[in-house]
Amino acid sequence: MNGAPGGRDTAIPDGAGKDGTWEELVTTALLGTDRRTPAHVPPGRTAPAALLDAAAVATVRRRAGLRPGRAARRPERAPADPRPPLPAAAARRLTTLLADRSGGTGGGRRGSTPDLMELLPQWLAAANAHGYAAPPQALPALLDAARGRTDLRPAALAFAGPRALWLARLNPDWRFALRAAPGGGAALPDTEDAEAVRRLWREGLFAERAALLGALRARTPERGRDLLASTWATERAEDRLMFLDSLRTGLSGADEPFLEQALGDRSRNVRATAADLLSALPGSALAARMAVRATACVALDRTGDAPAIVVEAPLECDADMERDGVVATPPAGKGERSWWLGQLVESAPLGTWPRRLGGRTPEEIVALPVTDGWQGELHAAWCRAAVRQRDAAWSRALLGSPSAPEAGGPGAVSLAERAKLLAALGPEDRAAWVAGFIATHGLSEAFQLLGVCAVPWAPPLGRAVVDALDIARDAGSYPWSFSGVMGLAERCLDPAEATRLETLLSIPDEPEDAAPGAGGYWAEAFQRLVTTLRLRAEMARELMPPAGPREGALSRRTRPADGRSPGPTPRWPRSSRRG
């Protein structure tokens, strides 16, 4: 009876054969032939065999009586992908990376084996930089990986190309790809086709319109703004808020008239977003109004033995302040006057303060004492202004020296704020500051700061991290507390550091107060780090485009005497090596 349909087929009459209906046969089988003998048992056949014979006949009759269904529409052909194919070695590597779906070994010791799934984002970024097309046979596994990890989706879908969207329409499990693509997988019109752009903007779904607006802002910001202005009065409040936020791309002084108009919007959230955008434009009228209000609250006092900053917070939040984005009601536990002061200072152009405070530089300003306990509030507002305006000079001043006793700088009171300030610096300055922080304070508080540094880490930063790990190992520190930094190092260190790390692979002598088994753990962790760095270097070589005929001949002529191929230079920068 295996394989028999489980339900009644209305296309067949109730009679299932001489042994009765199909339901009667099922009932007999459930009760057992000892309790209910099937009808018409042929001579020489046992009751169970007769029941199975009847069921077989009924099954054949039921299947034979099925009417053919309407043929389904054949799916359209998958679109072509014009990008060049992956080199064979890189395609094999991708298969290996996608096969390792465990994401590590979970809890406990990881051993010395690299975590391949954590290398997949870097591999995808490098493959996309080369402009390769994904192998068709790898698309299902690639979509499955992106389904399980949202952080993979942008790079994975870019690499998968148009065929991923074709597959997503056929499998509900991959529908996320349609949601992530502009317009649910529909191609955007040519931004130069004014009629098609106007039609999609007026008739498209919200996702399609948002994608269109983003594309226009990235190419011709003024066209995107004008398109939004054409329907602004008829948009829903929640849509106005999302569309307005897209103006951050390509934001310039030309957007000021539109944003000033949005300050009068009936939605408080829309008004706040417009004010935030205007405050990021130091030359805007709103920034000038905020500067007038802020400078009325902050002044230089020269009457004492040394100059100091005096603060007189605003006494009220009037209607004009609220229109310019100042939120009148403070959060719980926050005083009204300090709340209003912070919003005024963070929205004022930072260029206001040197003129207001005696022509001093940002470093000199943040070094001035602030009277009556207002220093924390004032410096925190300057921090927010430096982040919003992406002012490197003020960010550097507020960070202070990385070797300062608390390493918090004059205005940064938390690791999160220091990380935001670091993001306003250039990659080299950022890496140098974090390297100095680690050299002075170790790695215990550096994890969040390392997360904002460019990958691969600059040589000074990489050396600082390795040196700090080595010091922690020699000190017998609890090894598992450094697992997060070690995982970052596997993904972010320059592969050239592998040679330098070879001296750390042996199991060190454990101090008496060391955690039990710490030496073995450190040896495994460094072995995994070295193996991962070498694997990343190999991945980079595999992704290099194939050599042309002349280049291949030159490579053969310059092959080392030992017969090994030196391989192309990895794409990741190489640092100086220290043994």
Side-chain angles (χ1 to χ4, degrees):
M1 296 178 65
N2 290 339
R8 180 190 181 98
D9 192 331
T10 56
I12 302 298
D14 285 344
K18 63 179 181 179
D19 289 333
T21 66
W22 178 259
E23 288 77 7
E24 290 174 353
L25 294 175
V26 172
T27 301
T28 300
L30 292 173
L31 293 174
T33 55
D34 291 339
R35 297 177 61 187
R36 180 170 178 170
T37 304
H40 308 295
V41 178
R45 299 289 286 176
T46 61
L51 177 64
L52 292 175
D53 289 344
V57 171
T59 298
V60 171
R61 295 186 62 182
R62 286 162 60 88
R63 291 177 176 175
L66 291 175
R67 296 176 181 175
R70 184 181 299 275
R73 180 181 177 183
R74 298 182 66 179
E76 298 178 358
R77 292 178 61 89
D81 193 333
R83 297 175 296 178
L86 273 175
R92 291 191 295 270
R93 180 71 65 190
L94 175 62
T95 300
T96 303
L97 294 176
L98 291 172
D100 185 51
R101 296 290 305 281
S102 62
T105 57
R109 295 171 68 156
R110 289 175 51 198
S112 58
T113 304
D115 187 347
L116 299 184
M117 197 61 182
E118 288 303 313
L119 294 180
L120 182 57
Q122 191 173 92
W123 188 97
L124 288 171
N128 285 332
H130 282 292
Y132 290 126
Q137 66 274 16
L139 289 176
L142 186 62
L143 287 170
D144 282 341
R147 179 191 177 199
R149 284 183 54 176
T150 56
D151 63 309
L152 282 178
R153 290 182 183 179
L157 294 179
F159 179 60
R163 291 173 176 169
L165 302 180
W166 179 83
L167 283 174
R169 296 187 186 98
L170 304 176
N171 187 342
D173 290 343
W174 299 331
R175 289 294 172 87
F176 70 88
L178 300 179
R179 293 191 297 270
L188 291 177
D190 186 347
T191 55
E192 299 302 320
D193 187 343
E195 180 58 32
V197 167
R198 187 161 45 249
R199 183 169 57 253
L200 179 60
W201 181 249
R202 294 188 177 275
E203 301 174 5
L205 300 175
F206 173 78
E208 295 173 324
R209 301 176 72 211
L212 175 63
L213 182 59
L216 287 173
R217 288 294 293 183
R219 298 177 186 176
T220 51
E222 65 280 358
R223 288 190 61 202
R225 182 193 62 250
D226 292 344
L227 191 68
L228 177 57
S230 68
T231 59
W232 178 258
T234 61
E235 302 288 354
R236 300 183 305 167
E238 55 267 34
D239 291 349
R240 292 199 305 276
L241 179 62
M242 297 297 292
F243 289 146
L244 192 63
D245 195 65
S246 69
L247 297 188
R248 296 184 190 277
T249 301
L251 182 66
S252 70
D255 299 317
E256 183 180 357
F258 177 77
L259 294 174
E260 277 284 343
Q261 177 188 356
L263 287 176
D265 195 89
R266 57 186 178 273
S267 167
R268 184 180 68 179
N269 290 333
V270 171
R271 294 196 303 270
T273 301
D276 181 61
L277 290 169
L278 285 168
S279 66
L281 296 171
S284 68
L286 179 137
R289 294 192 296 269
M290 288 299 197
V292 171
R293 296 178 181 124
T295 54
C297 300
V298 180
L300 188 64
D301 181 10
R302 296 186 175 90
T303 60
D305 295 335
I309 295 176
V310 292
V311 174
E312 182 64 34
L315 298 175
E316 63 174 347
C317 180
D318 57 34
D320 289 338
M321 288 170 61
E322 290 194 61
R323 182 184 181 275
D324 283 346
V326 177
V327 179
T329 304
K334 186 81 170 179
E336 284 185 334
R337 297 184 67 193
S338 62
W339 173 243
W340 300 331
L341 173 72
Q343 294 179 79
L344 296 180
V345 173
E346 71 178 88
S347 299
L350 288 166
T352 301
W353 302 111
R355 296 190 299 270
R356 177 63 171 168
L357 301 175
R360 289 173 170 82
T361 65
E363 288 81 1
E364 293 170 336
I365 290 174
V366 299
L368 288 172
V370 183
T371 61
D372 299 328
W374 284 104
Q375 178 167 321
E377 192 67 46
L378 182 60
H379 285 189
W382 278 336
C383 281
R384 296 192 295 273
V387 171
R388 180 181 297 181
Q389 299 173 34
R390 300 198 64 81
D391 192 299
W394 273 88
S395 296
R396 193 177 296 108
L398 290 161
L399 279 166
S401 170
S403 59
E406 296 181 358
V413 296
S414 70
L415 286 173
E417 288 175 327
R418 290 199 287 271
K420 291 177 181 178
L421 289 170
L422 281 169
L425 303 183
E428 293 184 3
D429 290 343
R430 203 181 313 162
W433 196 95
V434 178
F437 179 92
I438 293 172
T440 303
H441 304 281
L443 292 167
S444 58
E445 294 186 354
F447 185 81
Q448 195 167 0
L449 304 179
L450 287 168
V452 300
C453 293
V455 178
W457 289 335
L461 177 58
R463 287 193 291 270
V465 171
V466 172
D467 289 343
L469 288 171
D470 190 18
I471 291 170
R473 182 191 71 153
D474 291 343
S477 300
Y478 193 64
W480 295 274
S481 62
F482 295 93
S483 59
V485 174
M486 189 67 78
L488 270 181
E490 292 171 16
R491 300 188 295 274
C492 303
L493 265 180
D494 190 323
E497 293 289 336
T499 300
R500 178 172 170 255
L501 290 168
E502 289 178 350
T503 59
L504 305 178
L505 300 182
S506 60
I507 299 178
D509 297 331
E510 297 183 5
E512 294 182 359
D513 57 347
Y521 174 91
W522 281 110
E524 285 182 355
F526 279 118
Q527 179 63 61
R528 183 175 63 251
L529 177 57
V530 170
T531 304
T532 302
L533 294 179
R534 289 174 175 162
L535 179 58
R536 285 174 52 207
E538 183 65 22
M539 286 165 43
R541 286 192 289 269
E542 293 167 351
L543 284 166
M544 293 297 290
R550 292 192 59 184
E551 187 177 347
L554 179 61
S555 298
R556 287 192 295 273
R557 289 196 300 270
T558 58
R559 188 180 300 274
D562 60 6
R564 295 178 299 173
S565 173
T569 302
R571 294 186 65 247
W572 288 284
R574 302 182 67 85
S575 66
S576 59
R577 302 187 181 197
R578 294 195 309 174

